[in-house]
Amino acid sequence: MARVARHASGRALLVAAALLCVLYGLPGLSPLSAVRSVPSVAMVDAGEEEGPSFVTKVVGAAAQGMTAATIAAVLSAVTEPIVNRLLVKRMTFSQAYNEITF
């Protein structure tokens, strides 16, 4: 029974992480959305403001790439064993899912 509880908690953690990644991109829920201005508000030019520097853009792009690679690795690690059983062993989805131990 402890093994089943551990699997359930692992799946719940995986679903929570995926949900957090999805919700992070929504405009109203992202921590970055507080920095962005509302499109309907008129903006007054307060002088010359410098945009993000080259290094800031590079670090931001690297962080996005690492996030995408991590999500792709997790999805691949979860789905690959099931797909292999479906295609190689010609099992039904429920049989393949029940055979997997996470």
Side-chain angles (χ1 to χ4, degrees):
M1 279 306 215
R3 187 175 183 184
V4 173
R6 188 177 61 194
H7 292 314
S9 65
R11 288 184 190 128
L13 180 64
L14 182 63
V15 169
L19 185 62
L20 179 67
C21 290
V22 168
L23 291 178
Y24 190 81
L26 295 177
L29 299 174
S30 173
L32 298 176
S33 66
V35 177
R36 297 180 187 143
S37 63
V38 179
S40 62
V41 175
M43 298 295 291
V44 177
D45 189 19
E48 290 193 31
E49 294 182 20
E50 292 186 24
S53 68
F54 178 74
V55 175
T56 305
K57 289 180 181 180
V58 169
V59 170
Q64 288 176 352
M66 287 188 301
T67 303
T70 303
I71 291 172
V74 168
L75 289 174
S76 177
V78 171
T79 59
E80 184 178 0
I82 294 174
V83 171
N84 285 342
R85 283 171 175 74
L86 290 174
L87 298 176
V88 175
K89 294 184 178 180
R90 305 237 180 235
M91 297 179 160
T92 64
F93 182 80
S94 62
Q95 290 172 336
Y97 184 77
N98 289 333
E99 189 176 303
I100 301 292
T101 55
F102 290 103

